[in-house]
Amino acid sequence: MLRRVVLLHRPVRALPRQQLASLLQRQSALTRGARVQSAPPVARSLALLSLSAFALASASCAPKLPMESAGAVKAEELYNDNAFDRRELLSKLKEMHAAHPDDVGVIWRLTRAAYDVSNLKATSADEKKELTYYARDVIQKGLELTKDVAAVHNWYGIILSSIGDYEGSKVSIANSYVIKSHWEKAVELNPSNPTTYYLLGRWCIAIADLSWLERKAAAVLFGSPPESSYDEALSFLLKSEEFAPDSWKKRSLLIAQVYQKKKDYGTAKEWVNKALAIPVGVEEDEIAHEEAAALLKKL
């Protein structure tokens, strides 16, 4: 009997390097595809949101906070200028941070800028890693300065998720608890930001997608794996939709995919059609539109 127990546990102990690689990818994918969103009027379409392509690859935290510094406000204006170079913005924010190291509004925008540049196609793997850890150090300082700004918690979770790309599955699983707690805190501080609910929805999908073997491996490492469900994912995604309805093709597609996972094909088809009806504004929308069209053929 003892030998049987050992044999049963041996492959499970090997899973963190083999089977849990997919979890690492899912964790880092939580932040990909998230973008800046304020809560626009109901009739406002994606094409009218004036979002840059880089905003689609990152998540901000709601409208500018009152009492922000002139530097932080200016940085936000430059960020929303589609023509302004992302590397130049990163350079300017580094200068602002050097001059005002305790300016939290500059800190989280510097983190966002570093994340954006790290995800440019022209950015090398080495520079991407360097920028990711740089962003981690910057946002950690922001968290030390204040725990009362939603954007700081949002970006701490996003960067912590990205760190998982470099530190392995064990760290990725351990961080998953911390990531969710910071996004939950961001919701507590700013309950009307649709982006945070979207991030939480993606987190839930990643956890709900874990296989039985991955859960067993996580149990060996941590006692119990993180828990979630597709229903919980939908609750967050639909909440995000509630604050910014019919405005984000990628989100509507993701909702359709969750309903597909639940085998509710009729509702999945409704959301695919909603996704297809949203205007194409940027490259991310073109990709989502193609994916939605392909999914519709399967439903």
Side-chain angles (χ1 to χ4, degrees):
M1 179 62 71
L2 178 60
R3 176 175 173 78
R4 179 177 297 178
V5 171
V6 171
L7 289 174
L8 284 173
H9 279 77
R10 187 171 296 156
V12 173
R13 291 184 182 277
L15 283 174
R17 184 171 58 186
Q18 300 172 9
Q19 297 290 339
L20 288 183
S22 60
L23 174 61
L24 172 62
Q25 295 172 345
R26 290 174 194 150
Q27 286 293 324
S28 62
L30 290 173
T31 60
R32 298 187 184 109
R35 63 174 174 183
V36 178
Q37 284 191 323
S38 57
V42 172
R44 196 173 188 184
S45 72
L46 179 62
L48 298 178
L49 289 177
S50 300
L51 296 168
S52 71
F54 297 96
L56 300 175
S58 58
S60 179
C61 195
K64 293 187 290 290
L65 298 171
M67 305 302 293
E68 286 201 310
S69 69
V73 172
K74 179 61 176 178
E76 192 66 18
E77 291 174 356
L78 294 174
Y79 178 78
N80 289 319
D81 181 355
N82 293 355
F84 198 79
D85 183 75
R86 296 297 121 173
R87 286 187 179 275
E88 186 175 350
L89 177 58
L90 175 59
S91 179
K92 284 185 175 295
L93 279 163
K94 284 183 176 181
E95 293 175 3
M96 291 181 189
H97 181 50
H100 305 284
D102 294 338
D103 188 328
V104 174
V106 169
I107 283 174
W108 72 258
R109 288 178 174 88
L110 174 56
T111 302
R112 178 179 65 183
Y115 178 86
D116 283 349
V117 174
S118 77
N119 283 283
L120 290 173
K121 291 181 180 179
T123 300
S124 68
D126 287 343
E127 185 185 14
K128 179 181 176 69
K129 181 177 180 179
E130 180 182 346
L131 285 168
T132 299
Y133 279 94
Y134 171 76
R136 190 273 309 273
D137 293 342
V138 171
I139 199 62
Q140 179 66 52
K141 174 66 181 299
L143 198 60
E144 292 169 1
L145 288 169
T146 180
K147 293 179 172 57
D148 296 326
V149 176
V152 172
H153 290 281
N154 253 358
W155 277 101
Y156 188 80
I158 290 168
I159 298 303
L160 196 60
S161 179
S162 297
I163 290 292
D165 287 338
Y166 305 105
E167 299 194 356
S169 299
K170 184 175 181 179
V171 172
S172 184
I173 297 172
N175 284 349
S176 67
Y177 299 94
V178 182
I179 291 165
K180 187 183 183 187
S181 70
H182 279 281
W183 289 342
E184 288 174 334
K185 182 63 176 179
V187 167
E188 178 185 327
L189 292 168
N190 184 0
S192 61
N193 181 10
T195 296
T196 313
Y197 293 107
Y198 175 81
L199 290 169
L200 284 166
R202 290 186 67 96
W203 185 95
C204 292
I205 293 169
I207 300 305
D209 278 345
L210 289 178
S211 69
W212 180 85
L213 289 176
E214 288 169 331
R215 292 182 186 280
K216 292 296 290 184
V220 169
L221 291 170
F222 300 102
S224 63
E227 296 289 340
S228 190
S229 66
Y230 295 132
D231 286 333
E232 186 179 16
L234 279 174
S235 71
F236 286 123
L237 293 172
L238 292 173
K239 189 72 172 179
S240 175
E241 177 74 17
E242 177 184 328
F243 282 111
D246 302 322
S247 62
W248 192 354
K249 188 180 288 287
K250 178 68 174 179
R251 180 182 56 205
S252 295
L253 172 61
L254 190 60
I255 292 172
Q257 290 169 335
V258 177
Y259 277 115
Q260 181 192 30
K261 291 174 184 290
K262 287 170 56 65
K263 302 187 187 307
D264 185 346
Y265 301 116
T267 308
K269 188 172 183 178
E270 291 176 12
W271 279 97
V272 168
N273 285 324
K274 286 184 179 183
L276 291 171
I278 295 173
V280 172
V282 291
E283 182 178 327
E284 182 205 59
D285 299 326
E286 295 174 1
I287 296 171
H289 194 89
E290 292 174 0
E291 292 178 357
L295 178 57
L296 184 61
K297 294 178 181 179
K298 299 177 182 178
L299 296 174

